[in-house]
Amino acid sequence: MVTIHLVSADGTTTTVESKPGFSLMEAAIHDNAKGIEADCGGLLTCATCHVMVREPFASQLPPPDDDELGMLDFTASPRQPNSRLSCQIKLTDEISGITVDLPATQH
Ligand code: FES
């Protein structure tokens, strides 16, 4: 199982577990975790699955492709250097323990 820690803007941490192969967004939605909306269901057209990935995990992820980079311009909360769209983060055993900060708002 892959462990994911979601840290909300108020500092509350929610931990979810998922099998490898799902996206971080899918794992959060499946567990009804608050803070990731994912209006488009992972089609890369909404930017409401915005997260900021903490190190060392941010450096371990494949870099965002051009489509993700383009959508990151449309996040409701200001984009940060470590901003990613969680529907594009594929869960693997290697990144178990990944910790992401959630933006104050997705809309
Ligand atoms: Fe819409 Fe990620 S769920 S861009």
Side-chain angles (χ1 to χ4, degrees):
M1 295 297 268
V2 183
T3 302
I4 305 152
H5 304 293
L6 306 162
V7 184
S8 66
D10 70 4
T12 306
T13 300
T14 302
T15 299
V16 302
E17 305 258 347
S18 179
K19 291 180 181 168
F22 290 97
S23 71
L24 193 152
M25 175 278 280
E26 289 170 324
I29 296 293
H30 184 264
D31 269 36
N32 293 316
K34 290 187 168 56
I36 294 178
E37 301 295 335
D39 290 349
C40 77
L43 297 176
L44 206 48
T45 57
C46 74
T48 64
C49 62
H50 178 202
V51 298
M52 282 78 75
V53 183
R54 292 190 184 178
E55 292 294 355
F57 303 99
S59 299
Q60 295 172 6
L61 297 176
D65 64 17
D66 288 345
D67 290 336
E68 182 181 354
L69 285 173
M71 279 309 296
L72 280 165
D73 287 339
F74 297 95
T75 57
S77 293
R79 177 180 180 172
Q80 305 297 321
N82 59 340
S83 286
R84 297 295 301 262
L85 296 178
S86 60
C87 67
Q88 302 303 303
I89 299 175
K90 195 64 74 182
L91 297 175
T92 63
D93 289 323
E94 288 71 30
I95 61 166
S96 185
I98 186 170
T99 303
V100 302
D101 291 291
L102 301 170
T105 182
Q106 296 282 11
H107 290 284

